[in-house]
Amino acid sequence: LAQEIVALLPNHGRTYVEPFVGRGNLFWSAASSALKNQNWWLNDISTIPFFHAIREIGDVVEVPEHNRDEYERQRAASKRGDTVAVLLEPLLTFGGGGYCSSGFVATTEAAPHRRGIRKRLGNATGS
Amino acid sequence: MTETNPRLQPSNRQDMGLDKLGSQDTVLLDAPYPSTDVRSYTDATVDYDHLVDTLLRAKFRWLLCGYIHPALHRLGNPFWSKEIRFLYFSDREERKFGEERRIECLWRNYSNHESSRHHVVVPETLRTKIRIQDRAASLSFPDLDSKIDAGLQTVARDFSALVPYMLEMHRRLSAPGKRSDLRRGAPPSLTCTQWINSKRSKLGRSLRTIQLLLRGKTEASRGRQALAEARGRMRDQSDLAVPDGPVEIASEMAHLVLEMRHAGQKSGLKQKLELLAETFLRVTGLRRFEVDESAAIQSIGGHITNIV
């Protein structure tokens, strides 16, 4: 759906703005499409640290063993501003909702999210 | 990310300064949709009226994702739509997802030739929905109020028509052990309460409201009501003084049992005995905890009447 929506955007322009970027579902599609924009501007009241983490770490992140202890450790690290913990947030939490909102998710449910995010990160960073 | 090198900003939309953008800028808005529960925002944190105001006077190009909803009515008809499966948190505490089919819609303020695709897809079902919403939006307050009143009457009338079926279902699921024929086809352990709860979202009424609707109509309910009325009458009778102490009550009960041996069960002594037994258990604190539907209704009857 994201690709279909992005295809309906103007082909070129000065600034591309997303006021509610979330985890970037539309942005990743737009960034990897043929859209030509001079500037890109992403905004979100709660998920911007996720993009800072990608910018800092890149598209390679070691995914730790998925269990409650590791989740609690990453959650605490995230509160301290640890970028790896921030980047792992959608992988470790239920529905990608975040440490503070949705909480721990069982391993079997985490696997599809993990694959999805990995692929997404790969696309976005052009690796 | 490296190629686009975006500017990253954690602001409320209102504080972003979108008004400074011009005709060569494009704003893609995928806001949390009205009446949904998503994580980063809830619809309570997005001021849709303000958002629509901003879009209607915008100098920049914008594309908004959403659903047909009164909050977005002022934007007019969407130019594009597609049916999708929508995932949402059905139970935040239990962390459960729900899924339903919705029609994703797009609105924009620029022309087709600026994008690579030019088709417009708005199915008939969506057009009907838009027409109904347009009609609702055009009504004055009194007309809208009357329209809703009429609709509520229809719902009430329809629900009355449902009561006989509800009673039949109650009879089947509440049938005593000997009448297993009545339960044929029903899940073995399903109770009437569970069944009502399973239909709650469709019925649009709570368990207690359903119980109230059926009050006095089911056999068990009639029996309980008759007993309650008899008790009420007995309390008014001066010839039955219920003693205060447990020993005195037990003694009175023993006399009644012996009296019943001679007088038979139709003498009204049984009801006196029941009243004494209840009082005895209450006084001694030995009454077992039980969930009695009618008792629950009776205890909050006045409150429920207001709700209904």
Side-chain angles (χ1 to χ4, degrees):
Chain A
L1 189 63
Q3 286 178 353
E4 289 187 61
I5 292 172
V6 165
L8 295 165
L9 290 169
N11 296 323
H12 53 84
R14 190 172 56 190
T15 311
Y16 170 98
V17 188
E18 267 201 65
F20 308 95
V21 70
R23 301 279 181 200
N25 283 346
L26 291 169
F27 167 68
W28 302 127
S29 284
S32 58
S33 72
L35 294 186
K36 303 291 178 198
N37 288 287
Q38 293 168 28
N39 309 304
W40 297 73
W41 180 9
L42 307 181
N43 182 84
D44 198 293
I45 199 165
S46 62
T47 60
I48 283 302
F50 175 71
F51 291 91
H52 281 298
I54 293 174
R55 181 174 275 170
E56 190 176 313
I57 295 171
D59 65 331
V60 179
V61 60
E62 190 178 337
V63 179
E65 191 179 343
H66 195 84
N67 55 46
R68 170 67 76 173
D69 289 343
E70 185 59 33
Y71 168 81
E72 294 297 343
R73 203 176 70 76
Q74 295 295 342
R75 184 179 174 209
S78 163
K79 281 184 183 171
R80 294 192 303 270
D82 184 302
T83 47
V84 172
V86 171
L87 199 54
L88 290 172
E89 188 173 31
L91 307 176
L92 300 181
T93 57
F94 180 75
Y99 295 118
C100 298
S101 305
S102 61
F104 180 69
V105 60
T107 310
T108 49
E109 293 172 21
H113 299 301
R114 188 176 304 168
R115 285 198 295 274
I117 296 287
R118 267 187 173 168
K119 188 180 172 190
R120 209 176 290 158
L121 293 180
N123 287 344
T125 51
S127 60
Chain B
M1 192 83 176
T2 312
E3 288 174 14
T4 57
N5 190 26
R7 170 184 166 192
L8 303 175
Q9 189 175 329
S11 302
N12 271 316
R13 181 195 56 77
Q14 287 94 326
D15 304 328
M16 284 181 67
L18 293 179
D19 292 344
K20 293 170 189 164
L21 297 173
S23 61
Q24 289 304 301
D25 303 312
T26 308
V27 179
L28 174 54
L29 299 115
D30 189 16
Y33 301 149
S35 313
T36 58
D37 181 9
V38 292
R39 289 293 160 181
S40 299
Y41 296 80
T42 68
D43 64 330
T45 62
V46 178
D47 183 343
Y48 282 94
D49 276 340
H50 188 271
L51 176 65
V52 171
D53 284 342
T54 304
L55 295 181
L56 288 176
R57 64 166 188 265
K59 291 174 187 165
F60 53 83
R61 298 174 295 196
W62 55 261
L63 186 145
L64 172 74
C65 311
Y67 301 116
I68 293 296
H69 191 277
L72 304 175
H73 173 72
R74 286 190 291 146
L75 295 176
N77 295 346
F79 77 96
W80 182 95
S81 68
K82 183 174 186 177
E83 188 174 299
I84 57 157
R85 286 185 310 154
F86 177 76
L87 284 175
Y88 61 96
F89 285 94
S90 59
D91 190 327
R92 188 178 273 259
E93 298 305 318
E94 293 291 319
R95 296 190 220 147
K96 286 180 183 168
F97 278 122
E99 182 184 307
E100 63 181 54
R101 290 196 170 275
R102 287 193 179 184
I103 298 177
E104 174 97 16
C105 296
L106 301 178
W107 290 261
R108 68 180 175 189
N109 70 339
Y110 52 89
S111 58
N112 282 333
H113 70 267
E114 292 183 74
S115 62
S116 56
R117 289 211 196 160
H118 303 270
H119 65 235
V120 175
V121 188
V122 179
E124 186 53 40
T125 49
L126 187 62
R127 283 192 209 135
T128 306
K129 202 171 178 181
I130 292 168
R131 271 199 298 274
I132 292 169
Q133 186 181 281
D134 286 348
R135 207 177 304 141
S138 69
L139 293 173
S140 65
F141 175 79
D143 289 344
L144 183 61
D145 189 49
S146 307
K147 186 79 184 171
I148 292 172
D149 267 349
L152 288 174
Q153 278 171 8
T154 305
V155 171
R157 213 165 34 239
D158 286 350
F159 206 83
S160 300
L162 202 59
V163 167
Y165 298 96
M166 301 281 291
L167 284 169
E168 174 60 22
M169 184 60 85
H170 183 278
R171 190 173 77 92
R172 293 186 188 193
L173 296 179
S174 307
K178 289 177 185 174
R179 296 298 310 272
S180 56
D181 57 312
L182 285 176
R183 292 189 59 98
R184 196 166 294 146
S189 58
L190 183 68
T191 65
C192 193
T193 301
Q194 287 168 338
W195 180 81
I196 291 173
N197 276 328
S198 73
K199 302 288 175 193
R200 214 172 140 178
S201 61
K202 283 184 184 170
L203 291 168
R205 284 161 167 80
S206 71
L207 173 65
R208 284 179 173 171
T209 307
I210 300 289
Q211 288 169 342
L212 185 70
L213 282 165
L214 301 183
R215 184 180 174 188
K217 294 186 174 74
T218 64
E219 214 167 288
S221 179
R222 277 197 297 268
R224 283 191 292 261
Q225 275 194 331
L227 186 60
E229 284 165 14
R231 283 175 187 149
R233 282 196 302 273
M234 285 171 66
R235 283 190 194 99
D236 295 338
Q237 289 171 4
S238 55
D239 63 330
L240 184 75
V242 180
D244 293 332
V247 177
E248 289 79 9
I249 296 172
S251 169
E252 187 72 28
M253 286 167 67
H255 281 116
L256 274 173
V257 169
L258 292 175
E259 204 175 322
M260 281 171 71
R261 192 190 293 166
H262 303 293
Q265 292 200 351
K266 290 181 181 176
S267 63
L269 296 176
K270 187 187 167 197
Q271 288 169 348
K272 288 182 185 177
L273 187 62
E274 283 175 345
L275 180 62
L276 286 168
E278 276 203 345
T279 312
F280 177 81
L281 291 173
R282 193 170 58 244
V283 168
T284 55
L286 295 174
R287 184 168 188 161
R288 282 174 296 178
F289 176 77
E290 59 185 68
V291 178
D292 184 327
E293 292 179 3
S294 75
I297 290 169
Q298 283 164 13
S299 65
I300 55 167
H303 179 60
I304 284 226
T305 305
N306 290 337
I307 293 171
V308 174

